[in-house]
Amino acid sequence: MPFGQLVIGPPGSGKTSYSNGVQQFLNALGRKTIVVNLDPANDNMPYDCAVNVEDLITLEDAMDAYQLGPNGGMVYCVEYLEKNIEWLTAKLKPYADEGYYFIFDCPGQVELYTHNQSIKTVVQRLEKLDYRLACVHLVDSSYCTEASRFISVLLLSLTTMSMLEMPHVNVLSKIDLLEQMGQLDFSLEYYTSVMDLEYLLFHLNEREPSKRFGQLNKIICELIEDYSLVGFSTLCITDKHSVASLLKEVDKANGYIFGALTEGNESILMSADSTDLLSEARDAQMRYEAMRVDAANTRPSGAGNAPLDSVLERMSIVEHQQGI
């Protein structure tokens, strides 16, 4: 059975950089990995693309043929892919038969995952063919610097999870740049765990004192807490330890960590070596704060990293032979 991940997120969240980095990382580990580009407007692909939707349709062709704008053209392209799903499955089959791991680099228009059904239909068709997929939803960590922006990210993540109905890993990307974007109201682990939003509501209403918006903010926060589905992992794509930690979560979400369930496969027992997301958030904040301070030459290089190093030494990525 083929495994993979569907990489989505708003424009600028780092989907293409993530796809490129994870492909290189997994190939270096010995896990045969290919990237499938499902973005018909992706003109700058740093990775080797094994399957490219632009061989089927491009955004420019759709806009020219039907006099559409960029958003309308993108919706048309995705719906066209849905109608021609046999083209995609035929392109994927040779790689699936050889046991490749798939990374699907998707478009950035959020309405494709919150309102339109085409991506969901494509995923469901692949799942019927026994593809084991997890959704990796990237959002820029800069949204944590403002309460209103973070609430909007929570709503987007919750809506996407409800819409796609597949295993989901939400990720705060570019975490190494977070300290350059502004001061956080709370520690990073508060945002990754989406703790009691009453504290965030106070900061939100403090900056938007209108009573009408205050009541709306309260209802939105209560809605998010009632579902209690959203949480975040962190990612610095240039840090192999951060990538390894995230991949452990993705492997658990799509079932790769459990292997082919064959005799002698110990990967199920290894799944007990799970990553504590709270600890990872603390370590990420400590690590990148140390990097920022070191860059300013206010402390010796490498100071304060011992707790993180002790965690990283215990990290592992499970590999197994598929289809045995």
Side-chain angles (χ1 to χ4, degrees), residues 50-251:
V51 180
N52 191 351
V53 72
E54 291 185 337
D55 295 336
L56 176 68
I57 189 172
T58 66
L59 177 62
E60 184 177 356
D61 290 342
M63 292 172 61
D64 292 343
Y66 299 101
Q67 302 300 308
L68 298 170
N71 289 336
M74 183 63 71
V75 171
Y76 177 85
C77 289
V78 174
E79 292 179 348
Y80 187 81
L81 174 63
E82 177 192 357
K83 297 296 183 182
N84 294 272
I85 187 64
E86 290 78 11
W87 174 89
L88 178 62
T89 56
K91 289 285 187 179
L92 297 178
K93 190 177 187 305
Y95 298 100
D97 292 342
E98 295 183 19
Y100 275 83
Y101 186 90
F102 295 91
I103 299 175
F104 294 89
D105 187 6
C106 297
Q109 276 72 6
V110 296
E111 60 266 26
L112 297 176
Y113 317 105
T114 59
H115 296 80
N116 191 279
Q117 294 278 344
S118 294
I119 291 291
K120 179 179 179 180
T121 302
V122 170
V123 170
Q124 289 176 339
R125 178 62 182 274
L126 293 177
E127 289 176 340
K128 287 181 179 179
L129 296 176
D130 213 20
Y131 283 75
R132 299 290 193 256
L133 302 177
C135 180
V136 178
H137 186 195
L138 301 175
V139 293
D140 198 316
S141 59
S142 63
Y143 286 105
C144 296
T145 58
E146 294 183 22
S148 58
R149 298 176 69 194
F150 186 66
I151 290 295
S152 69
V153 163
L154 292 177
L155 278 176
L156 173 61
S157 300
L158 179 59
T159 304
T160 303
M161 294 174 74
S162 302
M163 181 71 170
L164 293 181
E165 297 180 329
M166 61 187 300
H168 220 87
V169 179
N170 295 303
V171 182
L172 294 175
S173 63
K174 306 178 185 178
I175 198 67
D176 53 316
L177 303 178
L178 181 58
E179 292 297 327
Q180 302 175 19
M181 300 173 185
Q183 185 67 35
L184 297 180
D185 293 325
F186 307 99
S187 64
L188 183 58
E189 61 188 282
Y190 174 86
Y191 296 94
T192 58
S193 300
V194 190
M195 298 179 181
D196 190 352
L197 294 182
E198 285 289 337
Y199 298 101
L200 195 67
L201 184 62
F202 172 78
H203 286 271
L204 188 60
N205 291 335
E206 188 179 50
R207 293 162 190 169
E208 298 179 19
S210 168
K211 291 184 179 180
R212 182 179 61 177
F213 286 115
Q215 186 64 23
L216 176 62
N217 294 335
K218 180 180 179 181
I219 293 174
I220 291 175
C221 289
E222 289 176 351
L223 172 67
I224 296 170
E225 290 184 325
D226 286 344
Y227 277 91
S228 190
L229 290 175
V230 184
F232 294 95
S233 298
T234 59
L235 173 68
C236 170
I237 193 60
T238 58
D239 183 348
K240 64 180 180 180
H241 304 298
S242 177
V243 175
S245 177
L246 176 59
L247 282 174
K248 288 181 66 177
E249 296 302 314
V250 177
D251 283 350

Side-chain angles (χ1 to χ4, degrees), residues 256-268:
Y256 186 92
I257 197 170
F258 300 107
L261 302 181
T262 56
E263 183 178 357
N265 183 4
E266 299 178 353
S267 57
I268 295 180

